[in-house]
Amino acid sequence: MADSQEFPCALTLDVPFPTARLASVALKSIQVDKELSPLVRRDFSIASPTSGAEGDNVEDTVLQIHYRATTNRMLRVAVNSFMESLALVIEVMENLDTDVLAAKSADTS
Amino acid sequence: MTVASTKQPRHAAGPLYALGLEGSANKLGIGVLSHDPATNQTTILSNVRHTFVSPPGTGFLPKDTAKHHRTHFASVCAAALRDAGVSPAQLSCICYTKGPGMGAPLTSVAVGARALSLLWERPLVGVNHCVGHIEMGRVITGASNPVVLYVSGGNTQVIAYASQRYRIFGETLDIAVGNCIDRFARTLRIPNDPFPGYNVEQLAKKGGVLLDLPYAVKGMDCSFSGILAAADVLAAQMFAQDKLLAAGGALKEGETRITPEDLCFTLQETVYAMLVEITERAMAHVGSRQVLVVGGVGCNERLQEMMGRMAADRGGSVYATDERFCIDNGIMIALAGLLAWETGFETRLEDSTCTQRFRTDEVHIAWRED
């Protein structure tokens, strides 16, 4: 495993979303920008919740990010940057998704 | 109107709507406008801006500026939609600044733009910031085919249109003219609110002694970094005089007492004279009598006055806008993006990155005739 020797510092984040659509929006919004540092590798995927949800209609609602870096410092920088983008995307979802805007305009009219 | 041969123009009955998202420097600007391809009528529906103002003596750093844009993105966007009374379903496209500009702030807005595009199922259009300034200036002033002087904190270019490109005739060889002025404002510890250039201009109005500064025109190009260094030396002399006088000392015989007002006056007169010179030369080359001044420095009244006098001597006139349209804003991005979208242009999600370097002449101006 050359990879784990070169990139020994790793972190996996599971970010649960209410729907598969929102998990997919978050992934697609953030994944376009390449990781700037060659000292950091990352993988995005979408998974189904591992616990709680049972039955046939388990949607893939969990955004999963796996970070690997050469040092803990690089790992921290990369993960912080990801968290900042994620916070923006979630705020946009909360305030500007079509259903939210429709509800807001129904309130005012 | 001619269109790119490979793309299909989009037709519509009535006006088209676009959202514009700008954040290449310290202003987060979001706005909505409409453009009717049949009548070429442009209507501004909303223009909301939130500026990151750093303390006196400091500039805006990429990290802090990106944080500012992320913090205010959702509220500014909601305000722009509310002011316009437009719903996402009515939008033809979502236009964002692809570049040029500071990487982190550009990317922060692009992330927001992508989220909106995915949530609303509207296409993205990546826009060249400089082209946005030019198109906005043309619409607001009605100047049809001017020589363009684009002057801001990040860019200094003299531009003329030919064969579906905005061609760069001359430009700065080092820092932008606005950067020179902003950084000198920092040297003098002038407030950055509302913006440093405005405060330099107010001081300059009270000055009148032209101090000695280098003049650096190189053919069609300009250089500002040496002028800034020389102005900083004069400012250091002024601070030394302040100290000496405060301690009860006296100036040497024949020594000029340097004041912030005279320094600002001198800096403005020098750099604007350089800009007028290269603009005039471009006008002579192109055979144009119109000058359009765009970019944040373009709302400086002294620059407009000097440019106007030169243009009048050539039997023409200067076209300029006020701070609503000169200073970075969202609607200029919406306009340039919508014009491109009408010709069939669109930026796929996987291509919706940002680039710090993106020259004005890289863009195919498919919406203008040859």
Side-chain angles (χ1 to χ4, degrees):
Chain A
M1 292 286 280
D3 193 67
S4 62
Q5 276 167 15
E6 250 186 286
F7 296 89
C9 307
L11 184 69
T12 301
L13 295 168
D14 283 351
V15 187
F17 281 87
T19 64
R21 168 177 169 266
L22 293 179
S24 157
V25 165
L27 177 133
K28 288 177 179 166
S29 299
I30 297 172
Q31 132 178 298
V32 173
D33 297 308
K34 297 275 165 290
E35 195 60 54
L36 291 174
S37 170
L39 306 178
V40 178
R41 300 276 161 87
R42 66 166 194 205
D43 294 298
F44 285 89
S45 58
I46 291 196
S48 53
T50 47
S51 61
E54 295 268 332
D56 299 329
N57 20 333
V58 177
E59 275 192 308
D60 290 343
T61 56
V62 179
L63 173 62
Q64 213 165 56
I65 312 98
H66 183 53
Y67 268 103
R68 285 155 297 147
T70 53
T71 61
N72 276 325
R73 185 179 163 272
M74 290 313 299
L75 183 66
R76 175 172 54 81
V77 169
V79 171
N80 279 349
S81 163
F82 165 78
M83 295 302 275
E84 287 169 352
S85 293
L86 181 69
L88 170 62
V89 170
I90 291 171
E91 206 190 334
V92 168
M93 290 170 175
E94 280 173 343
N95 292 283
L96 297 163
D97 200 354
T98 42
D99 56 338
V100 179
L101 290 174
K104 263 192 219 165
S105 68
D107 280 352
T108 51
S109 61
Chain B
M1 185 179 255
T2 55
V3 293
S5 54
T6 51
K7 293 184 196 112
Q8 285 299 308
R10 294 177 169 106
H11 298 288
L16 298 166
Y17 297 91
L19 177 76
L21 307 160
E22 152 63 27
S24 61
N26 66 332
K27 290 100 187 167
L28 173 68
I30 303 183
V32 180
L33 63 61
S34 73
H35 177 252
D36 190 329
T39 61
N40 202 25
Q41 180 77 34
T42 304
T43 310
I44 294 155
L45 300 168
S46 65
N47 183 14
V48 186
R49 180 161 55 212
H50 201 288
T51 305
F52 173 54
V53 179
S54 55
T58 65
F60 51 93
L61 298 170
K63 190 170 178 277
D64 303 333
T65 310
K67 184 167 186 246
H68 166 269
H69 292 359
R70 280 192 301 267
T71 305
H72 297 282
F73 184 90
S75 59
V76 171
C77 188
L81 286 176
R82 193 178 54 233
D83 290 1
V86 168
S87 73
Q90 291 171 274
L91 298 171
S92 291
C93 52
I94 296 165
C95 313
Y96 76 99
T97 308
K98 188 172 179 67
M102 293 169 107
L106 280 171
T107 304
S108 67
V109 173
V111 168
R114 282 179 217 130
L116 292 176
S117 167
L118 291 160
L119 290 172
W120 298 349
E121 298 175 0
R122 302 282 96 192
L124 283 171
V125 176
V127 173
N128 179 298
H129 181 86
C130 316
V131 173
H133 271 299
I134 296 169
E135 295 305 342
M136 198 71 225
R138 287 178 63 227
V139 160
I140 296 293
T141 64
S144 53
N145 188 22
V147 164
V148 181
L149 177 67
Y150 170 32
V151 275
S152 69
N155 293 278
T156 304
Q157 297 179 338
V158 182
I159 298 156
Y161 175 82
S163 307
Q164 299 198 316
R165 298 271 166 191
Y166 286 115
R167 318 252 168 200
I168 301 168
F169 264 67
E171 61 193 311
T172 179
L173 298 170
D174 39 58
I175 59 172
V177 62
N179 190 241
C180 176
I181 294 168
D182 289 354
R183 283 162 68 175
F184 188 63
R186 268 178 245 165
T187 302
L188 294 184
R189 309 238 153 206
I190 297 172
N192 290 326
D193 186 26
F195 53 98
Y198 177 83
N199 295 324
V200 168
E201 182 177 7
Q202 302 319 308
L203 280 174
K205 281 178 184 167
K206 296 181 208 137
V209 177
L210 193 67
L211 302 162
D212 196 26
L213 275 186
Y215 182 91
V217 169
K218 315 276 181 190
M220 289 301 299
D221 299 323
C222 282
S223 164
F224 297 102
S225 65
I227 294 173
L228 174 62
D232 281 348
V233 168
L234 288 175
Q237 285 174 14
M238 177 185 72
F239 290 135
Q241 289 178 343
D242 290 349
K243 220 171 164 183
L244 183 72
L245 294 173
L251 298 183
K252 275 177 253 159
E253 211 174 294
E255 185 180 344
T256 317
R257 173 71 171 124
I258 302 170
T259 65
E261 290 80 7
D262 287 339
L263 279 173
C264 291
F265 171 79
T266 301
L267 183 65
Q268 283 208 153
E269 295 300 304
T270 305
V271 296
Y272 295 160
M274 289 161 51
L275 295 173
V276 169
E277 182 186 333
I278 61 169
T279 307
E280 180 169 22
R281 200 172 293 131
M283 289 168 78
H285 275 298
V286 175
S288 172
R289 286 179 177 181
Q290 297 178 324
V291 199
L292 171 65
V293 188
V294 299
V297 183
C299 59
N300 185 291
E301 286 169 7
R302 179 60 183 149
L303 174 61
Q304 292 180 5
E305 184 191 342
M306 289 168 76
M307 203 59 80
R309 200 175 297 177
M310 178 273 285
D313 284 349
R314 305 185 62 83
S317 48
V318 64
Y319 294 80
T321 61
D322 63 37
E323 60 85 27
R324 288 169 300 167
F325 311 110
C326 242
I327 295 180
D328 293 351
N329 58 75
I331 40 175
M332 68 184 216
I333 302 304
L335 176 62
L338 186 54
L339 291 171
W341 187 85
E342 286 168 13
T343 68
F345 183 84
E346 176 177 329
T347 303
R348 290 179 305 167
L349 183 75
E350 57 268 38
D351 300 326
S352 64
T353 49
C354 298
T355 168
Q356 299 199 83
R357 303 194 182 278
F358 186 7
R359 280 176 72 79
T360 314
D361 51 13
E362 285 176 45
V363 182
H364 177 219
I365 309 297
W367 54 89
R368 284 188 69 174
E369 290 172 34
D370 277 340

